[in-house]
Amino acid sequence: MQKQSDAAATAGPPPETTSIAARAMAALRPGGAPYLDGLNPEQRRAVETTDGPVLVLAGAGTGKTRVLTTRIAHLIATGRARPYDILAVTFTNKAAREMKARIGALIGPAGEGMPWLGTFHAIGTKILRRHAELVGLKSDFTILGTDDQLRLMKQVIADQNIDEKRWPARALGHAIDGWKNRGLSPEQVPPGEAGAFAFGKGGALYTAYQARLATLNAVDFGDLLLLCLKLWRENPDVLENYQHRFRYILVDEYQDTNVAQYLWLRLLAQGHRNVACVGDDDQSIYGWRGAEVDNILRFEHDFPGAAVVRLERNYRSTGHILAAASGLIAKNEGRLGKTLRTEDVAGERVTVTGAWDSEEEARLVAESIESLQAKKHPLSEIAVLVRISAQMREIEDRFVQLGLPYRVIGGPRFYERAEIRDALAYLRATANPADDLAFERIINTPKRGLGDATLQQLHTYARAERVPLLLAARRLIETDELKPRVRSTLRALAESFSRWARAVETVPHSEVAQTILEESGYTEMWQKDRSADAAGRLENLKEFVRSMEEFPDLAGFLEHVALVMDASEAEGAERVSLMTLHAAKGLEFDTVFLPGWEDGLFPNQRALDESGRAGLEEERRLAHVGLTRARKRAKLSFAVNRRIHGLWSSTIPSRFIDELPAGSVDVVEAPAHFSAGASRFDRNPAPFGSSYGTPGWQRAQANTAASGRGFGQSHGASPGGRGGPRQIEGELVAKSTGAPSAYAAGARVFHTKFGPGTVAGVDGNKLTVDFDKAGRKMVLDSFVQPG
DNA sequence: CGCCCCTGTTTTTTT
DNA sequence: AACAGGGGCG
């Protein structure tokens, strides 16, 4: 496959033609084409193969972003395209921002104001606003966030008299999301799937949901793409216009595209057929939210004659790290196949350390960081990457105890916070009196005595008269259908909204926001709140009002908030970064800690249960992403005991550890200071079987016994010095026997710690056992005896 | 209408 | 274990 693609690439239009012309044209400009300097031959080919479809398979650390930005610079500098002829799509705002900045740096002001560089959703919005009426919307449509969607779904479910407990709105949301990801409008959903939800009502619910959106003049994120497809299919002239307009199309992170995005791109690319997709099938980690690795695997089929360029020269990691990552990812089937290589030194081996429990693991990580810090390793160049957010807690606790400065990347986002969503709801309801969802959110926030009963009345009236809630309120307060108290409260609220709406016309919008928050009693609500986070919320509200000043008007600000759900965070501070593996994609650090490599956690059991082998391969890609974040040092670890949902479970090392090439790995034993006193476990819970028979493990056990209790030696881990971690080269702690287990599902077994149980599943020498007392656990078969 | 207790849930995350 | 959301009660 690899050979084939390369052949196809060279069989295409000879790149030299464009290359010479490009260079000649660039040479006309003073200073030649400095932006091409320093590209390697493959990168250069990816940049200079301008015409026709191109797939750039860019492995981790091979200069993907550089290629993308240089390619745009090249298109503009050589006069092939003006900035507005180029469509460049990314997935995240961050990526879009970065690309803008780098293009600016490459070619100066000429590259500024690329109007069609943005996320799929931002560009989709831009297009839909221009043609809103063709898809049944007004151009000032609202973009709903997930919480609004959820509330809408709840209403729809209730309307259809379906038990929301049996068929939760979340599940419906998931189903509809899935359909939208696959580009399916309600009528296109396969009947079988539509019928699977709520006794055959899934399709009807989807239809009803879309109808509700339409009456609200609102769309959700999926619609931003789906409605473009509808627009183009029903209006070929409009499609043609865009096909013509976008002379060159570039797509970043192509492996993350879902079907809807793929269809979207394909329609547009059919014009000039100059589409360059950059991606890495080995870094596809978003399958669970609809990304189709197949899109990248099928590229050459979908775009016949496509040139394929592989970027395999890695400029990031040292040899052993790259070897470990490559060796691991090689276990995946269904990949296009790349071999990363580096000209860098072999460097340090990847280390693997076993800890007694997750608490000790956190301590090991923290102490390891402290000793690096002592050697002047900048903290900003250290990251701890975890599989799930829940792992962060223990690590944070440890950092706090030691006073290690750290920052969590990708936590709850600014615009997702309750106080911000409330403030936004006030602004939305002010800007758009028909925004029922916003009005509903704040009608009783702060508490003003307008509860469910009142809301029901409003709903009934609004539905009967087909008017928005706020208008329904205005009309009802003129009748005597409401209790006097409710009536006066509601009148005051309605009048406030009128007043605020008038203010928007004359007063700067951030001042109006300030006024709204004060007059509505919202600020006061938090001032009176005695809970610990109230002060922080007030701070957030201040920041929120302040951030509005950066936008020309209220509508502009609301659009920004709907599409750009992240607030820029201060970078470069002297802190350790803590984040999930997913959040780490695209980042790099000198030293990377990868804790929690245990079967069940990583690879994650749920991924395995839900997606089987595909799930396992995605987990493996995640591991690959994790390893390739490291420039100089990657430190894996696992714990033998971990608390899962509050219960202690015994765990076994990740199968991925076994899959690493032994030659690039060092097993490093934990410094000998197991916190025996703090553990609630017997030191020797089970006779160690073959898997724990390695010298390192045995020594760890011996040291534990000898070192006694307490924390006394916690700083004795001076690396390189005496008493520091000893290394046993090439030995793997979790070495599998490879031999199939002697046990079969259904067999009765006995475990010294967990007692009797029944084997539920077998995977090599790893057993899933339902213990009579202890519940379901995963254990190595050498830990149990026939029972 | 509002508060409190109980119950069920718990991957990864963007737009 | 921790949290969120719903139901029931005052």
Side-chain angles (χ1 to χ4, degrees):
Chain A
M1 194 165 191
Q2 204 164 334
K3 289 242 167 63
Q4 241 174 15
S5 332
D6 286 339
T10 39
E16 287 72 21
T17 312
T18 49
S19 164
I20 291 169
R23 266 176 270 160
M25 293 195 53
L28 292 174
R29 308 165 63 85
Y35 58 85
L36 289 174
D37 290 350
L39 293 184
N40 68 35
E42 306 86 69
Q43 289 174 330
R44 205 161 167 136
R45 193 152 74 89
V47 167
E48 294 183 335
T49 309
T50 52
D51 289 8
V54 185
L55 176 62
V56 180
L57 293 171
T62 55
K64 176 193 67 144
T65 309
R66 179 158 188 208
V67 162
L68 222 34
T69 50
T70 310
R71 188 178 163 95
I72 290 173
H74 183 64
L75 289 172
I76 294 171
T78 57
R80 286 185 168 79
R82 303 296 198 86
Y84 48 79
D85 296 326
I86 300 172
L87 171 67
V89 275
T90 63
F91 275 82
T92 62
N93 295 296
K94 195 176 154 202
R97 270 198 306 270
E98 188 183 335
M99 221 193 270
K100 268 198 178 130
R102 288 178 64 166
I103 293 168
L106 274 180
I107 56 172
E112 269 164 34
M114 277 190 58
W116 300 105
L117 189 167
T119 62
F120 276 100
H121 294 87
I123 291 167
T125 305
K126 193 164 181 171
I127 291 171
L128 281 183
R129 292 229 189 265
R130 296 186 168 187
H131 312 278
E133 67 297 339
L134 291 177
V135 289
L137 290 167
K138 288 185 277 168
S139 73
D140 64 343
F141 60 80
T142 312
I143 301 164
L144 262 35
T146 30
D147 53 349
D148 287 325
Q149 278 176 58
L150 210 59
R151 250 171 322 134
L152 209 48
M153 303 234 185
K154 277 186 183 158
Q155 290 174 14
V156 170
I157 288 172
D159 285 349
Q160 307 260 327
N161 289 319
I162 292 165
D163 181 9
E164 216 249 290
K165 281 174 126 174
R166 182 96 199 264
W167 303 100
R170 266 192 60 150
L172 178 65
H174 195 250
I176 291 181
D177 244 27
W179 289 324
K180 289 190 173 177
N181 283 159
R182 285 156 57 201
L184 301 172
S185 57
E187 59 278 7
Q188 292 170 315
V189 176
E193 280 183 48
F197 194 88
F199 308 112
K201 291 198 177 159
L205 288 168
Y206 184 8
T207 308
Y209 169 71
Q210 290 306 119
R212 286 285 291 138
L213 282 175
T215 59
L216 289 169
N217 189 36
V219 298
D220 63 20
F221 285 117
D223 287 339
L224 293 174
L225 298 167
L226 209 52
L227 290 178
C228 282
L229 296 179
K230 179 181 154 87
L231 168 73
W232 291 331
R233 285 191 180 130
E234 293 174 1
N235 304 277
D237 52 318
V238 176
L239 172 62
E240 210 175 306
N241 177 287
Y242 285 102
Q243 286 178 334
H244 186 71
R245 180 189 305 249
F246 300 134
R247 297 169 62 98
Y248 292 92
I249 298 177
L250 291 89
V251 188
D252 188 18
E253 305 278 16
Y254 187 63
Q255 78 282 354
D256 287 337
T257 49
N258 61 35
V259 172
Q261 288 156 339
Y262 163 80
L263 294 169
W264 192 94
L265 279 172
R266 233 177 69 140
L267 280 175
L268 288 177
Q270 255 144 32
H272 293 277
R273 285 178 53 82
N274 295 328
V275 55
C277 295
V278 181
D280 180 1
D281 49 315
D282 293 335
Q283 290 189 66
S284 163
I285 54 175
Y286 286 110
W288 52 272
R289 67 176 195 212
E292 279 286 340
V293 203
D294 273 3
N295 288 347
I296 199 167
L297 300 177
R298 277 191 339 226
F299 187 87
E300 294 171 79
H301 175 258
D302 290 329
F303 296 97
V308 176
V309 181
R310 282 187 163 75
L311 304 182
E312 300 177 304
R313 207 173 301 192
N314 176 292
Y315 295 100
R316 181 184 297 156
S317 311
T318 47
H320 282 308
I321 291 168
L322 211 55
S326 302
L328 181 64
I329 200 63
K331 307 277 178 189
N332 269 4
E333 295 167 26
R335 49 193 293 260
L336 290 171
K338 286 183 306 317
T339 312
L340 288 176
R341 53 177 194 279
T342 177
E343 285 158 23
D344 205 340
V345 297
E348 296 180 28
R349 290 188 172 83
V350 174
T351 66
V352 176
T353 306
W356 169 252
D357 60 16
S358 42
E359 205 180 302
E360 185 190 60
E361 184 185 43
R363 183 163 47 246
L364 290 174
V365 168
E367 281 165 10
S368 203
I369 291 173
E370 282 196 318
S371 71
L372 286 168
Q373 189 182 22
K375 290 188 291 181
K376 305 281 183 256
H377 190 310
L379 294 183
S380 58
E381 281 303 334
I382 299 176
V384 182
L385 311 182
V386 295
R387 175 62 183 83
I388 63 172
S389 306
Q391 284 173 262
M392 289 186 191
R393 180 98 159 234
E394 278 178 303
I395 295 169
E396 283 188 74
D397 283 353
R398 202 64 212 164
F399 286 176
V400 169
Q401 275 184 38
L402 294 174
L404 256 184
Y406 70 94
R407 61 175 178 158
V408 174
I409 299 195
R413 271 150 306 172
F414 187 69
Y415 292 116
E416 303 260 304
R417 292 161 200 265
E419 66 276 18
I420 301 303
R421 309 249 23 144
D422 288 339
L424 271 171
Y426 273 103
L427 294 177
R428 277 168 52 190
T430 302
N432 175 9
D435 193 334
D436 283 359
L437 289 163
F439 182 69
E440 218 181 306
R441 182 178 176 107
I442 48 79
I443 184 169
N444 203 28
T445 309
K447 303 266 189 290
R448 45 171 78 87
L450 301 173
D452 283 347
T454 309
L455 194 55
Q456 273 315 314
Q457 262 182 297
L458 291 179
H459 264 303
T460 308
Y461 184 89
R463 184 156 309 186
E465 301 293 318
R466 300 179 162 278
V467 295
L469 287 175
L470 184 54
L471 187 52
R474 290 186 197 286
R475 296 222 187 124
L476 277 172
I477 53 182
E478 301 306 328
T479 70
D480 48 10
E481 282 178 51
L482 300 168
K483 288 185 191 148
R485 200 193 183 99
V486 170
R487 190 167 150 187
S488 69
T489 313
L490 202 51
R491 167 167 281 132
L493 186 63
E495 280 170 2
S496 293
F497 271 110
S498 307
R499 200 171 58 251
W500 297 331
R502 268 181 270 122
V504 169
E505 306 295 324
T506 54
V507 184
H509 53 284
S510 66
E511 283 173 38
V512 179
Q514 185 70 41
T515 309
I516 292 176
L517 292 178
E518 275 161 24
E519 291 184 0
S520 65
Y522 192 75
T523 313
E524 191 189 352
M525 178 181 99
W526 287 115
Q527 281 162 350
K528 284 185 179 160
D529 191 300
R530 305 296 303 153
S531 64
D533 52 357
R537 292 180 192 270
L538 285 165
E539 271 307 302
N540 290 339
L541 287 170
K542 257 191 211 160
E543 169 62 21
F544 174 77
V545 171
R546 198 207 53 73
S547 71
M548 291 180 69
E549 290 166 10
E550 294 165 22
F551 296 85
D553 54 29
L554 187 55
F557 175 71
L558 291 176
E559 174 117 335
H560 164 82
V561 170
L563 285 172
V564 184
M565 294 298 285
D566 62 344
S568 48
E569 40 193 306
E571 299 220 357
E574 188 45 25
R575 294 164 177 277
V576 175
S577 299
L578 176 59
M579 70 194 96
T580 64
L581 285 160
H582 284 90
K585 194 163 81 159
L587 305 177
E588 56 186 286
F589 302 87
D590 283 340
T591 301
V592 169
F593 288 85
L594 298 159
W597 282 45
E598 295 135 40
D599 259 28
L601 179 61
F602 191 38
N604 190 271
Q605 191 57 45
R606 198 142 157 186
L608 263 37
D609 291 344
E610 280 168 18
S611 317
R613 213 200 68 189
L616 176 63
E617 296 213 340
E618 181 154 315
E619 294 286 300
R620 197 178 275 118
R621 290 193 292 268
L622 201 47
H624 173 254
V625 167
L627 283 168
T628 51
R629 295 313 94 195
R631 294 197 195 98
K632 297 177 186 158
R633 263 173 300 275
K635 294 175 158 298
L636 312 192
S637 56
F638 61 90
V640 186
N641 290 287
R642 184 177 295 275
R643 205 165 21 186
I644 298 166
H645 308 325
L647 297 169
W648 284 96
S649 309
S650 89
T651 49
I652 60 176
S654 173
R655 64 192 80 183
F656 295 153
I657 292 178
D658 280 346
E659 293 174 359
L660 298 170
S664 295
V665 175
D666 278 338
V667 171
V668 177
E669 68 186 58
H673 59 283
F674 283 76
S675 63
S679 172
R680 35 272 53 192
F681 284 95
D682 178 5
R683 224 68 321 255
N684 287 308
F688 281 96
S690 59
S691 298
Y692 291 93
T694 58
W697 192 256
Q698 285 173 352
R699 209 170 321 157
Q701 290 296 305
N703 283 340
T704 303
S707 71
R709 330 257 112 175
F711 300 88
Q713 305 181 21
S714 61
H715 292 278
S718 54
R722 273 163 197 276
R726 270 161 295 184
Q727 301 186 345
I728 299 96
E729 292 187 1
E731 279 283 4
L732 290 179
V733 168
K735 191 127 246 148
S736 299
T737 57
S741 170
Y743 302 97
R748 292 287 293 171
V749 294
F750 183 84
H751 186 282
T752 31
K753 184 167 168 212
F754 302 126
T758 309
V759 176
V762 184
D763 178 10
N765 62 340
K766 293 162 186 171
L767 306 177
T768 304
V769 182
D770 286 322
F771 288 103
D772 300 356
K773 295 253 170 61
R776 175 165 288 205
K777 309 258 183 233
M778 246 193 288
V779 296
L780 291 172
D781 64 355
S782 48
F783 278 59
V784 301
Q785 303 146 10

